[in-house]
């Protein structure tokens, strides 16, 4: 059984506080949009799919027991709250796309003369609540499609590598890149998986390692600076990472350190795959130069908890993401298939 990072039922939402992992497994309540924004911004919840789900569900909690005088009043609050939520972490596109889809839904409901305000509110809530199960279904499909691509023409167990956290803790369940690894393991064809610690927030060491141990998968943790040495000394069959945003040309924004892994993989002729739902593909931007890269507080680099590990007075540069050029990516694994980066511009995101 995979971990459950998001617990929701009938207007009540709790999330697993990922800042406390692996030392403590504690669920915290999300009482509304402000709590949702703070949890996303502080990275108590992270991973592009999970950010979108928690952000939207926090809005459901906000309006669940409220009464509205008119459909226009409900529309105004929805648009205002969604605009606020999108500012919590700007690089991840999933929340913005979910907000845009909800705004389109609201516009159609507003125009429906036969729908009253309570019916409009129920339709919005129902639409958001379906996101949880849809994400799990999409992740399962990503896992199957990825396993099929990795194992094509191969009949032996694979040695794989991943970066950051892309599992149950980053999604509604199962995961994207880690979902691919789980699917390979379910076929009894996983030899070993190497995960990076993923500086500066150690999401690999704290979260991915936590999931791998939980699932009893054969795994080894390495530092980010060991990737080149590992590829030079061991036979790695493929690297699979996630994505917070993919441009129309296939350029991909992911956790800082992904770009250098792709460069090293190219040198060692190791296939480099990106696993992400179609909601991470932003066809509105032509290439990665248009992706806004979030910069995090210096303290995340200089401290572990309350302990300072860097010399006082040193300056810091702490981007949360980098952009991997499309030419370094072997394929992009989605719930509807595996595509070359050059094929994305021709695809239409499923509705």
């Amino acid at each position: 059984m995979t971990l459950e990072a998001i617990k929701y039922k009938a207007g009540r939402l709790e999330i697993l506080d990922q800042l406390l992992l692996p030392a403590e497994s504690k669920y915290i309540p999300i009482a509304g949009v402000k709590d949702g924004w703070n949890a996303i911004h502080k990275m108590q919840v992270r991973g592009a799919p999970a950010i979108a789900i928690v952000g939207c569900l926090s809005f459901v909690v906000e309006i669940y027991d409220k009464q509205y005088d008119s459909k226009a009043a409900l529309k105004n609050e929805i648009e205002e709250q969604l605009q606020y939520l999108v500012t919590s972490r700007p690089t991840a596109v999933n929340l913005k796309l979910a907000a845009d889809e909800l705004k389109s839904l609201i516009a159609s409901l507003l125009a429906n003369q036969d729908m009253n305000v309570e019916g409009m509110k129920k339709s919005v809530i129902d639409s958001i609540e379906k996101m949880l199960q849809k994400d799990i279904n999409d992740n399962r499909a990503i896992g199957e499609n990825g396993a099929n691509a990795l194992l094509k023409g191969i009949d032996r167990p694979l040695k794989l590598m991943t970066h950051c956290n892309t599992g149950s803790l980053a999604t509604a369940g199962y995961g994207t890149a880690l979902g691919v690894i789980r699917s390979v393991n379910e076929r009894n064809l996983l030899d070993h998986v190497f995960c990076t610690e993923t500086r500066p927030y150690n999401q690999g060491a704290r979260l991915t390692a936590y999931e791998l141990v939980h699932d009893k998968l054969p795994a080894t943790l390495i530092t980010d600076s060991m990737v080149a040495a590992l590829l030079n000394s061991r036979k790695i069959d493929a690297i699979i990472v996630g994505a917070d945003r993919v441009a129309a040309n296939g350029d991909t924004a992911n956790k800082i350190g992904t770009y250098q892994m792709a460069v090293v993989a190219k040198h060692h002729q190791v296939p480099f795959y990106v696993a992400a739902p179609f909601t991470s593909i932003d066809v509105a931007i032509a290439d990665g130069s248009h992706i806004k890269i979030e910069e995090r507080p210096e303290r995340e680099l200089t401290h572990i908890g309350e302990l300072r590990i860097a010399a006082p007075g040193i300056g810091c540069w702490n981007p949360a993401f980098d952009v991997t050029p499309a030419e370094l990516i072997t394929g992009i694994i989605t719930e509807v298939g595996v595509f070359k980066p050059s094929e994305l511009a021709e695809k239409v995101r499923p509705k």
Side-chain angles (χ1 to χ4, degrees):
M1 180 179 178
T2 55
L3 296 163
E4 187 179 15
I6 303 168
K7 292 183 176 181
Y8 172 82
K9 186 175 182 180
R12 300 292 180 264
L13 175 63
E14 291 183 325
I15 63 165
L16 186 62
D17 187 344
Q18 297 187 30
L19 294 180
L20 301 178
L21 293 173
E24 182 181 359
S25 297
K26 178 182 178 182
Y27 286 88
I28 58 173
I30 303 296
V33 166
K34 186 176 180 180
D35 283 354
W37 192 97
N38 286 330
I40 294 167
H41 187 69
K42 290 163 61 179
M43 296 176 68
Q44 290 171 298
V45 60
R46 21 73 48 212
I51 286 171
I53 292 167
V54 169
C56 291
L57 285 176
S58 75
F59 174 71
V60 169
V61 174
E62 183 83 25
I63 69 170
Y64 202 84
D65 294 319
K66 283 187 179 181
Q67 302 295 319
Y68 294 90
D69 295 332
S70 67
K71 290 164 67 175
L74 176 57
K75 170 185 177 291
N76 290 339
E77 175 157 10
I78 290 172
E79 291 183 345
E80 180 181 329
Q81 299 284 23
L82 291 176
Q83 185 174 354
Y84 170 63
L85 281 165
V86 167
T87 66
S88 56
R89 295 205 67 196
T91 301
V93 73
N94 303 56
L95 179 54
K96 180 183 181 300
L97 290 177
D100 289 345
E101 289 186 357
L102 286 171
K103 289 176 184 177
S104 296
L105 173 63
I106 294 158
S108 66
L109 295 173
L110 193 67
N112 184 350
Q113 300 297 322
D114 297 327
M115 169 132 347
N116 62 22
V117 65
E118 281 303 311
M120 180 176 174
K121 184 177 119 174
K122 184 179 185 302
S123 293
V124 170
I125 290 173
D126 288 348
S127 176
I128 293 173
E129 288 178 342
K130 289 176 182 176
M131 291 174 64
L132 267 171
Q133 188 57 49
K134 182 181 185 302
D135 189 60
I136 293 172
N137 294 342
D138 288 349
N139 291 344
R140 284 280 183 179
I142 288 169
E144 286 300 301
N145 291 337
N148 289 339
L150 293 178
L151 291 165
K152 187 176 182 179
I154 299 176
D155 59 358
R156 57 172 175 77
L158 302 180
K159 288 185 172 68
L160 303 173
M161 182 186 293
T162 192
H163 185 58
C164 196
N165 176 257
T166 57
S168 299
L169 298 173
T171 62
Y174 201 69
T176 55
L178 198 52
V180 173
I181 292 169
R182 284 186 165 116
S183 291
V184 172
N185 182 68
E186 287 169 4
R187 301 183 190 190
N188 296 316
L189 287 171
L190 178 66
D191 182 301
H192 208 83
V193 55
F194 293 88
C195 66
T196 56
E197 62 177 352
T198 322
R199 289 288 298 163
Y201 229 135
N202 288 339
Q203 290 161 349
R206 291 190 306 106
L207 306 180
T208 300
Y210 183 79
E211 291 201 46
L212 293 170
V213 170
H214 178 275
D215 286 9
K216 297 181 173 59
L217 300 185
T220 298
L221 174 68
I222 63 171
T223 68
D224 295 8
S225 57
M226 294 176 184
V227 171
L230 180 68
L231 296 188
N232 190 51
S233 61
R234 309 279 182 93
K235 170 61 178 175
I236 301 299
D237 292 292
I239 297 174
I240 313 103
V241 302
D244 284 77
R245 186 174 295 211
V246 181
N249 74 331
D251 291 350
T252 298
N254 193 49
K255 181 69 178 180
I256 190 73
T258 303
Y259 175 32
Q260 65 192 24
M261 289 181 72
V263 171
V264 174
K266 187 79 168 181
H267 176 76
H268 288 282
Q269 299 181 318
V270 174
F272 188 90
Y273 287 93
V274 172
F278 248 90
T279 51
S280 293
I281 300 170
D282 190 352
V283 294
I285 56 174
D287 57 59
S289 66
H290 299 286
I291 299 176
K292 182 177 180 180
I293 299 299
E294 173 191 1
E295 293 196 18
R296 301 289 300 172
E298 291 186 0
R299 185 180 177 86
E300 293 176 3
L301 202 57
T302 60
H303 288 70
I304 295 179
E306 297 302 315
L307 176 65
R308 173 176 273 276
I309 58 172
I314 188 67
C316 295
W317 180 52
N318 188 17
F321 306 93
D322 55 26
V323 175
T324 299
E327 58 265 27
L328 298 179
I329 298 171
T330 305
I332 296 176
I333 305 166
T334 76
E335 69 271 27
V336 295
V338 181
F339 306 107
K340 295 179 181 178
S342 60
E343 296 175 321
L344 288 184
E346 302 170 4
K347 304 298 175 181
V348 178
R349 184 164 56 88
K351 299 299 183 183

